[in-house]
């Protein structure tokens, strides 16, 4: 008579395109599968089974004897010695769980790690980073972090890829202001005196404002000829940057961010300016230790002085051409990829257009386009959840998603929490600025299970008024528990920060605090490739280039110290 046995296999996701598309109500820890065993008819098999049992019993006996020996040694210790040994083991286990905790460093890296921690200690003592509590982060309010030795070290460090940054946040405010002095620039000015849009044109721009704002077109040169030009300069600078103390509600903040996007895109998408600004952006990134970028952009349409509007494909082609020229000049620059990220409106009436644009980009520029996102500017509370956009449910098999989710301040957390869960159910490859992740144990379980990274942008979280005390940042838990994270910068030039170094500094000093070491920095850099949209061959090449730069940096760092 046939007998039956049971065994267990770890649960694995069946779909690589949308790994959580068929997500059940509760993920089973194991699947139990029944299958008939072959009848045992061979003496040889019986002999093998008996030998296996004997070997197993012998190994168990050895393990028991070893445990007894260890216990005997343990109980010969004094209570103080036992406590210290247990504590050291406890701390060691926690450190191994942290991001980078399992990395094995080379002898040179171990030496560099010692020197890094020494520099970190000196900076801490010199600037008294944690000497008191401030409403604003102490190391941002008391001194310029770029003046510290640690900052200089992090700036020169090869940081790998930048996976969360927006094109509008990569153009320096002062350079944008310089453009406003050029001929043929028109400004659309609201009754309140706010600048709402810019346009270079030979003639009066017959462009009606959208339903979101009202304004009238005037030559910008008239403002600079005015005796109160400094007043306009201050107003313009405020419109093109972001102050962490000036916004009383999420609606107010979202309105400011939308205006900044319009103004910046109006200046830089003039066809003569766009390629130059793209090249300068890549120079800034490369100088800051970044050699790969996944740029979030709505791909604003270029225009010329005659009023001709080009297409979104023309904008994409300019990005590809500029990136190729830059790679020719800098051979270790891996390249640039595009996450198409248009701005959501309250009714998402343009969703069909956005999806059609994404399909066009994937068809014509498959090596550039890698995915789709929707921008809300921290205003998820007033927008429908991602899962309510039925069009998204029908394209998740053909287009990858990289959604912002859970990064808004709502009176209640329902809106941002819904987006966080919906982003996972839609198969988002990463989660952008997901501040409320630690509040959701099932989300944490899925992140660990499916190895989905959270994009952390520390300075953005501060300037968007989500976080003041970085020691309480949600990423502190993610780092300590070893969850996959990548460090981004969001809109670095909005607050006069470097493309990525400032956020690395804040993550290292403010969030990781005393837990930060070279293992963490190395793992974060490697994560930027491991969780990128690069394919297998591109990732292998990128890591090879990064390791070459990393080893060269290590040698310079160790020798100079």
């Amino acid at each position: 008579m046939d007998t039956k046995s049971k065994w267990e296999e770890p649960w694995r996701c069946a779909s690589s395109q949308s790994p959580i598309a068929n997500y059940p109500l509760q993920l089973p820890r194991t699947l139990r599968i029944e299958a008939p065993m072959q009848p045992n008819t061979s003496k040889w098999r019986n002999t093998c089974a008996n030998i296996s049992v004997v070997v197993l019993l012998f190994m168990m006996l050895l393990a028991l004897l070893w445990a007894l020996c260890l216990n005997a040694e343990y109980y010969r210790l004094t209570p103080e010695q036992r406590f210290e040994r247990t504590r050291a083991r406890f701390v060691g286990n926690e450190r191994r769980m942290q991001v980078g905790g399992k990395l094995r460093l080379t002898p040179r890296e171990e030496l560099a790690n010692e020197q890094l921690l020494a520099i970190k200690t000196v900076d801490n003592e010199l600037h008294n980073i944690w000497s008191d509590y401030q409403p604003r982060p102490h190391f941002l309010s008391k001194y310029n972090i770029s003046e510290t030795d640690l900052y200089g070290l992090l700036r020169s460090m090869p940081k790998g890829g930048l996976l969360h940054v927006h094109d509008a946040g990569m153009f320096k405010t002062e350079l944008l202001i310089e453009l406003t002095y050029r001929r043929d620039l028109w400004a659309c000015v609201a009754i309140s005196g706010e600048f709402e849009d810019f346009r270079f044109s030979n003639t009066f721009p017959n462009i009606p404002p959208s339903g979101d704002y009202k304004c009238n077109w005037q030559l910008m040169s008239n403002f600079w000829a005015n005796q109160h030009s400094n007043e306009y300069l201050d107003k313009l600078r405020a419109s093109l940057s972001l102050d962490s103390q000036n916004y009383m509600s999420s609606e107010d903040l979202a309105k400011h961010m939308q205006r900044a996007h319009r103004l910046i895109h109006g200046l830089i998408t003039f066809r003569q300016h766009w390629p130059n600004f793209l090249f300068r952006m890549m120079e800034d990134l490369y100088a800051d230790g970044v050699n790969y970028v996944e740029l979030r952009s709505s791909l604003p349409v270029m225009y010329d002085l005659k009023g001709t509007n080009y297409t979104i494909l023309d904008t994409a082609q300019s990005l590809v051409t500029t990136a190729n020229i830059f790679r020719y000049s800098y051979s270790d620059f891996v390249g640039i990829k595009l996450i198409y990220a248009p701005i959501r409106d309250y009714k998402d009436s343009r969703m069909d257009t956005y999806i059609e644009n994404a399909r066009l980009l994937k068809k014509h520029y498959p090596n550039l386009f890698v995915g789709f996102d929707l921008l809300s500017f921290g205003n998820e509370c007033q927008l429908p959840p991602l899962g309510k956009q039925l069009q998204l449910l029908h394209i998740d098999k053909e287009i990858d998603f990289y959604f912002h989710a859970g990064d808004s301040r709502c009176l209640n957390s329902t809106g941002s929490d819904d987006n966080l869960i919906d982003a996972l159910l839609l198969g988002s490859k990463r989660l952008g600025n997901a501040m409320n992740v630690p509040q959701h144990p099932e989300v944490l379980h899925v992140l660990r299970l499916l190895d989905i990274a959270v994009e952390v942008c520390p300075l953005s979280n501060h300037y968007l008024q989500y976080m003041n005390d970085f020691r309480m940042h949600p990423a502190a838990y993610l780092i300590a528990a070893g969850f996959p994270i990548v460090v981004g910068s969001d809109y670095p030039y909005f607050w006069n920060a470097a493309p990525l170094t400032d956020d690395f500094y804040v993550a290292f000093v403010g969030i990781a605090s005393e837990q930060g070491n070279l293992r963490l920095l190395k793992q974060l850099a490697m994560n930027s490739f491991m969780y990128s949209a690069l394919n297998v061959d591109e990732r292998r090449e990128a890591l090879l280039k990064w390791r070459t730069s990393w080893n060269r940096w290590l040698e310079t760092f160790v020798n100079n110290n």
Side-chain angles (χ1 to χ4, degrees):
M1 181 177 180
D2 291 344
T3 60
K4 295 183 178 180
S5 65
K6 297 181 180 179
W7 66 90
E8 295 181 345
E9 287 185 355
W11 180 85
R12 289 182 174 85
C13 181
S15 170
S16 60
Q17 179 66 28
S18 181
I20 197 169
N22 299 316
Y23 182 71
L25 293 178
Q26 183 176 0
L27 285 174
R29 302 293 180 182
T30 58
L31 293 179
R32 296 186 176 274
I33 307 173
E34 296 188 356
M37 293 185 61
Q38 295 295 328
N40 189 1
T41 59
S42 170
K43 290 183 178 181
W44 175 249
R45 289 185 179 178
N46 286 336
T47 302
C48 288
N50 292 334
I51 294 174
S52 298
V53 170
V54 171
V55 171
L56 179 60
L57 290 173
F58 181 72
M59 293 177 64
M60 291 174 63
L61 179 60
L62 287 178
L64 179 60
L65 292 173
W66 178 254
L68 290 173
C69 291
L70 289 179
N71 284 334
E73 180 187 357
Y74 179 79
Y75 285 107
R76 282 196 297 268
L77 301 175
T78 65
E80 292 82 1
Q81 290 172 327
R82 286 200 298 269
F83 180 82
E84 288 303 321
R85 178 173 291 190
T86 304
R87 189 181 189 282
R89 186 181 300 115
F90 191 96
V91 172
N93 289 338
E94 279 206 331
R95 287 179 177 173
R96 281 188 291 274
M97 290 177 62
Q98 296 168 7
V99 173
K102 297 178 182 178
L103 278 181
R104 292 187 177 182
L105 301 184
T106 65
R108 184 180 294 274
E109 287 174 332
E110 290 286 4
L111 181 58
N113 187 43
E114 293 177 9
Q115 297 177 359
L116 169 70
L117 296 179
I119 292 173
K120 185 178 180 182
T121 301
V122 170
D123 276 356
N124 191 4
E125 294 174 351
L126 180 63
H127 299 286
N128 298 316
I129 292 174
W130 302 121
S131 63
D132 56 1
Y133 179 79
Q134 298 284 328
R136 190 178 182 194
H138 186 77
F139 52 84
L140 292 182
S141 60
K142 290 298 181 84
Y143 67 95
N144 188 348
I145 62 176
S146 63
E147 297 173 359
T148 66
D149 292 334
L150 179 59
Y151 183 92
L153 176 63
L154 292 179
R155 179 165 172 80
S156 65
M157 186 186 82
K159 290 174 279 294
L162 175 52
L163 306 187
H164 190 120
V165 68
H166 298 266
D167 60 350
M170 276 305 301
F171 304 110
K172 293 180 179 178
T173 300
E174 297 307 315
L175 292 178
L176 294 171
I177 290 177
E178 286 181 15
L179 291 179
T180 63
Y181 291 96
R182 298 192 179 185
R183 295 179 54 189
D184 301 318
L185 179 64
W186 295 76
C188 201
V189 186
I191 296 177
S192 62
E194 296 283 354
F195 295 105
E196 293 286 358
D197 204 351
F198 284 126
R199 185 85 172 185
F200 286 94
S201 177
N202 282 332
T203 58
F204 182 88
N206 290 309
I207 305 172
S210 73
D212 298 334
Y213 61 97
K214 301 295 181 182
C215 58
N216 295 304
W217 290 101
Q218 303 177 42
L219 274 171
M220 193 65 193
S221 57
N222 294 337
F223 290 95
W224 298 137
N226 191 294
Q227 59 180 341
H228 302 296
S229 58
N230 287 336
E231 175 186 346
Y232 297 115
L233 180 61
D234 293 339
K235 185 173 294 187
L236 182 58
R237 184 176 287 112
S239 297
L240 295 172
S241 58
L242 195 145
D243 188 324
S244 65
Q245 308 299 322
N246 283 348
Y247 309 102
M248 302 304 296
S249 68
S250 59
E251 294 91 339
D252 189 23
L253 173 62
K255 184 177 180 180
H256 175 84
M257 296 284 282
Q258 286 179 312
R259 179 187 296 119
H261 269 248
R262 279 197 307 271
L263 293 171
I264 293 170
H265 286 159
L267 290 170
I268 66 175
T269 55
F270 179 41
R271 196 179 185 189
Q272 294 179 0
H273 295 165
W274 178 247
N276 295 332
F277 269 89
L278 288 177
F279 196 89
R280 181 169 292 179
M281 175 189 71
M282 294 180 203
E283 284 183 323
D284 290 348
L285 288 162
Y286 185 78
D288 201 46
V290 176
N291 70 334
Y292 170 68
V293 188
E294 289 183 8
L295 184 69
R296 279 174 164 87
S297 174
S298 61
L299 285 187
V301 172
M302 293 186 296
Y303 67 93
D304 60 24
L305 286 175
K306 297 179 180 179
T308 303
N309 287 327
Y310 295 83
T311 70
I312 193 172
L313 295 181
D314 293 322
T315 308
Q317 179 58 54
S318 180
L319 180 57
V320 171
T321 302
T322 306
N324 288 338
I325 294 173
F326 190 84
R327 288 182 65 188
Y328 182 79
S329 303
Y330 302 90
S331 59
D332 57 338
F333 186 76
V334 175
I336 189 167
K337 301 285 186 182
L338 170 72
I339 297 176
Y340 176 54
I343 301 170
R344 298 181 66 182
D345 61 20
Y346 291 99
K347 298 179 180 179
D348 283 328
S349 57
R350 293 169 288 194
M351 188 66 69
D352 290 334
T353 301
Y354 295 159
I355 290 175
E356 184 59 31
N357 286 342
R359 285 174 169 150
L360 278 173
L361 291 167
K362 183 176 181 180
K363 176 182 177 182
H364 292 277
Y365 297 99
N367 294 326
L368 172 70
F369 173 83
V370 292
F372 181 75
D373 186 15
L374 289 166
L375 303 189
S376 65
F377 300 129
N379 201 23
E380 292 174 286
C381 322
Q382 283 72 45
L383 297 171
L386 290 169
K388 296 294 185 182
Q389 309 309 309
L390 300 182
Q391 301 97 318
L392 299 177
L393 301 176
H394 298 283
I395 65 167
D396 62 331
K397 299 295 186 297
E398 57 178 301
I399 292 175
D400 288 338
F401 297 142
Y402 294 86
F403 286 128
H404 284 73
D407 65 335
S408 299
R409 292 182 63 178
C410 306
L411 294 178
N412 61 67
S413 61
T414 303
S416 57
D417 287 1
D418 286 346
N419 272 343
L420 182 63
I421 296 170
D422 288 357
L424 280 180
L425 294 177
L426 286 166
S428 187
K429 300 300 183 182
R430 297 191 301 266
L431 294 179
N433 276 334
M435 293 286 291
N436 55 358
V437 160
Q439 302 171 21
H440 298 275
E442 189 66 3
V443 169
L444 290 171
H445 172 61
V446 173
L447 291 179
R448 179 90 73 184
L449 187 69
L450 302 183
D451 201 27
I452 297 173
V454 176
E455 301 164 349
V456 177
C457 304
L459 279 177
S460 174
N461 301 151
H462 166 63
Y463 281 95
L464 297 183
Q465 300 181 351
Y466 301 150
M467 180 63 55
N468 277 330
D469 189 348
F470 285 111
R471 291 169 293 186
M472 304 304 294
H473 195 287
Y477 167 73
L478 298 179
I479 290 173
F483 281 88
I485 69 168
V486 293
V487 176
S489 55
D490 219 8
Y491 293 90
Y493 286 161
F494 273 23
W495 34 84
N496 197 31
L500 188 55
T501 298
D502 292 58
D503 285 275
F504 253 78
Y505 181 95
V506 172
F508 189 63
V509 171
I511 297 177
S513 189
E514 294 183 0
Q515 310 301 326
N517 56 28
L518 190 67
R519 287 179 175 83
L520 172 64
L521 295 175
K522 183 178 181 181
Q523 188 68 65
L524 290 175
M526 294 173 63
N527 281 357
S528 69
F529 296 117
M530 293 166 57
Y531 296 98
S532 70
L534 296 169
N535 61 39
V536 175
D537 292 335
E538 290 172 332
R539 188 177 299 123
R540 186 183 300 112
E541 179 185 357
L543 280 168
L544 182 61
K545 289 182 177 181
W546 172 80
R547 285 195 183 98
T548 301
S549 300
W550 175 263
N551 291 333
R552 187 165 54 244
W553 172 77
L554 277 176
E555 183 176 358
T556 302
F557 172 41
V558 171
N559 291 339
N560 287 348
N561 284 274

